[in-house]
Amino acid sequence: MAIQRLLVANRGEIAVRVFRTCARLGIDTVAVFASDDRNSFHVRSADSAVELGSYLDGAEHIRAAVAARADAIHPGYGFLSENPTFAEAVLAAGITWVGPSPEALRLGGDKVAAHRIAIENGVPTLPQGSPGEIGFPLVVKAAAGGGGRGMRVVRDPAQLDEALAAARREAEGAFGNDAVFCERYLDRPRHIEAQLLGHRGGVTVLGGRDCSIQRRHQKLIEESPPPGLRPGTWARIEGGARAFAEAIGYQGAGTAEFLVSGDDVYFLELNGRIQVEHPVTEEVTGLDIVELQLRVAAGEEIGLDVVTTGHAIEARLYAEDSRTFLPQTGRLARLVLPTGVRVDAGVEEGDEIGLAYDPMIAKLIAHGSDRESAIARLTGALDATEIDGVITNLPFLRWLVRHPAFVTGSLSTAFLIDHTPLSVSPLHTAPPAFATPWRLNRPVPPPTAAPNIDAATPAAGASAHGAIAAPMPGTVLAVGVVVGDAVTPQQRLVVLEAMKMEMPVLAPFAATVTAVHVATGDQVAAGTLLVELG
């Protein structure tokens, strides 16, 4: 292979994943690290490492690559992975860019431009535009990123200004670009995506994934192939994904995301990077998608005969509370990951989970001859996992894979709203024909709107005496009240930020502010007293 030394402009699990393929191919690896990340697992996993000022500074990555004599840069996912300006700068420096062209990134990454291109090429989309044009509910999205960052669902016009401001702040922190847009919101669709590879021979669809089970618009469980799609649905998704990728001249690995509601299919976006959930596609196809990325970047001819076998499911293990999904911090005093399934880890026993970065610990990927056997293997793997020192979502994952609705494939993006996490599971679920309300000889009523789970969660930090505590560790981003203010229920008191995620702390009832214990910029632990209400 033409690439001799590769720098990964990223950290954590994805950097370690890329290094693993490089080691097999005989490619030297270079890690980069910020000053607070020098002892991390990905640094220990590379052949060499270079310190930089920020993971969001493209010039720093290029400086590090030149210093380490790397001839290629792989951006991973998140950070600068979909930034066309960064891709242009890498190429201008004479370094191989492992990703789509800057022009393809610009066309596919700008969600508003992508919407227009999809329509021009006959790919169905959800309405976008001003709130007045598309109505409510709507979702505010970051134009330059994905992964659930910079997203807010808005059901009431009164919530719009605050949602726009919060989405812009999150987008700027996660992607270095605060541009956002508004799109029609569907309450209970399925989230289905197509794994693409653009190469000299054209665009190949490597397979599909269901990523419907999410919290805060971020995925928790992914599987391939998507179970239980209606006849013809996958063909429409595959055709739409290929048409869009060909329209922008896409090269390399990427993912076209769709929402499926009944017989309707809507294109969401094309993520111009490798996805967190790529291992399930690798498990059912036997392909190494990172290797394919490197071969495309090196200009090699790619011949693909995609054959899928069995079923694969991935569970994301996070340092977060199982009931609120708020991030947690601490040292991994004990970490025993299972054998018998694929494990892509970003940390090791003894590592610290801090506030600055994504709280993912590892991904567990189980492959079986069919969905039932894949679920059984994943269930056993989760039961064999042991973690001490940090609160994690392991109890939630164990609950989820045993839930009858999950086992029978009754999936939607509202799964965790319709089935309260860690609640007692029903013994059986209704057959699909009876899954929605109905009356004999009358049309099926529309589904009820899903409740706003984000608005309810922060009240868990309030006591009956009006002491409002931090529901998660983090940095105080904003304080919205002063002593003497009269507040109404659900009014924002404080905004916390941790791991690139914002969390508004809301008033649980009407009251008067009697004390404010924090200021903007303060670092607080979970349970820290923030505000007192009288």
Side-chain angles (χ1 to χ4, degrees):
M1 182 173 287
I3 296 173
Q4 301 298 314
R5 179 170 295 168
L6 178 80
L7 181 143
V8 176
N10 218 296
R11 67 174 304 280
E13 166 267 328
I14 185 56
V16 177
R17 162 70 189 92
V18 175
F19 295 156
R20 187 167 64 245
T21 289
C22 288
R24 180 173 60 80
L25 298 176
I27 298 172
D28 289 340
T29 55
V30 182
V32 291
F33 61 93
S35 59
D36 61 349
D37 212 19
R38 65 176 65 252
N39 297 317
S40 59
F41 182 40
H42 80 279
V43 174
R44 301 193 297 270
S45 302
D47 296 317
S48 61
V50 180
E51 184 173 355
L52 41 65
S54 168
Y55 289 112
L56 286 172
D57 188 334
E60 279 285 271
H61 288 290
I62 294 171
R63 177 192 62 78
V66 172
R69 298 192 301 278
D71 58 350
I73 290 180
H74 190 301
Y77 56 73
F79 290 143
L80 299 174
S81 61
E82 296 178 89
N83 188 311
T85 302
F86 178 48
E88 285 174 335
V90 171
L91 294 169
I95 300 171
T96 297
W97 167 250
V98 184
S101 69
E103 181 62 15
L105 281 176
R106 192 166 281 112
L107 291 172
D110 183 329
K111 306 302 189 290
V112 178
H115 182 264
R116 173 182 53 79
I117 294 169
I119 292 174
E120 291 172 351
N121 287 274
V123 183
T125 63
L126 287 165
Q128 291 181 0
S130 70
E133 292 171 330
I134 63 177
F136 295 86
L138 60 79
V139 58
V140 181
K141 289 185 173 182
R149 306 298 190 193
M151 287 183 66
R152 290 291 188 279
V153 175
V154 183
R155 299 184 181 279
D156 188 309
Q159 304 168 347
L160 183 63
D161 289 345
E162 184 175 328
L164 287 167
R168 289 190 180 106
R169 287 193 300 267
E170 273 193 6
E172 175 66 32
F175 313 114
N177 185 333
D178 70 352
V180 298
F181 66 96
C182 297
E183 182 176 81
R184 175 75 54 78
Y185 180 71
L186 300 178
D187 271 311
R188 285 173 173 79
R190 287 180 65 181
H191 187 123
I192 307 294
E193 55 189 39
Q195 175 66 60
L196 304 170
L197 186 76
H199 50 95
R200 289 167 61 183
V203 175
T204 301
V205 178
L206 303 183
R209 297 186 287 255
D210 185 294
C211 307
S212 297
I213 298 183
Q214 306 174 5
R215 53 89 172 96
R216 304 189 189 283
H217 314 296
Q218 291 183 303
K219 302 158 189 172
L220 287 167
I221 293 279
E222 302 98 354
E223 54 185 301
S224 182
L229 291 180
R230 295 187 181 184
T233 299
W234 173 247
R236 295 168 64 195
I237 292 171
E238 185 176 26
R242 183 180 291 109
F244 184 88
E246 289 175 345
I248 64 173
Y250 197 84
Q251 293 284 297
T255 298
E257 301 197 345
F258 293 79
L259 291 182
V260 175
S261 180
D263 291 323
D264 296 324
V265 172
Y266 302 101
F267 172 76
L268 280 180
E269 60 191 19
L270 187 144
N271 292 311
R273 51 178 165 81
I274 197 164
Q275 292 274 96
V276 180
E277 57 271 21
H278 76 275
V280 293
T281 300
E282 292 184 326
E283 290 299 300
V284 297
T285 62
L287 299 170
D288 183 330
I289 295 175
V290 172
E291 178 183 350
L292 293 174
Q293 286 184 293
L294 298 175
R295 291 178 60 192
V296 169
E300 294 186 18
E301 190 82 35
I302 306 291
L304 287 174
D305 182 17
V306 181
V307 178
T308 60
T309 303
H311 199 94
I313 307 177
E314 172 182 293
R316 301 189 191 186
L317 183 60
Y318 283 101
E320 64 181 25
D321 186 276
S322 291
R323 294 187 181 275
T324 64
F325 298 118
L326 296 179
Q328 304 294 308
T329 61
R331 189 179 69 85
L332 289 164
R334 178 173 173 79
L335 178 62
V336 178
L337 295 171
T339 59
V341 297
R342 173 174 168 175
V343 176
D344 285 12
V347 292
E348 288 183 312
E349 185 173 288
D351 285 349
E352 191 81 17
I353 306 294
L355 289 174
Y357 306 108
D358 190 273
M360 183 187 291
I361 294 171
K363 302 182 304 195
L364 310 185
I365 307 100
H367 181 254
S369 58
D370 52 25
R371 189 171 187 267
E372 182 180 7
S373 61
I375 291 175
R377 291 192 67 193
L378 182 58
T379 300
L382 290 167
D383 289 345
T385 301
E386 300 177 29
I387 305 177
D388 288 323
V390 180
I391 296 172
T392 75
N393 68 339
L394 182 59
F396 161 78
L397 293 174
R398 290 171 173 167
W399 166 86
L400 175 60
V401 297
R402 290 178 167 89
H403 196 286
F406 174 75
V407 172
T408 58
S410 300
L411 309 175
S412 83
T413 57
F415 187 97
L416 299 182
I417 295 171
D418 296 332
H419 308 289
T420 304
L422 298 178
S423 60
V424 176
S425 300
L427 295 178
H428 302 284
T429 56
F434 299 95
T436 55
W438 58 280
R439 291 178 61 187
L440 188 63
N441 298 327
R442 297 296 299 273
V444 176
T448 57
N452 186 347
I453 191 170
D454 288 334
T457 299
S463 74
H465 303 291
I468 310 300
M472 69 178 187
T475 301
V476 177
L477 200 62
V479 178
V481 293
V482 297
V483 174
D485 281 355
V487 298
T488 57
Q490 301 299 300
Q491 180 175 334
R492 187 180 69 180
L493 304 175
V494 175
V495 178
L496 299 178
E497 190 272 341
M499 304 172 187
K500 307 301 181 186
M501 183 187 80
E502 284 191 16
M503 167 58 64
V505 180
L506 310 178
F509 43 74
T512 299
V513 178
T514 58
V516 177
H517 295 280
V518 293
T520 300
D522 286 354
Q523 299 279 333
V524 298
T528 298
L529 185 61
L530 303 174
V531 175
E532 292 183 69
L533 304 178

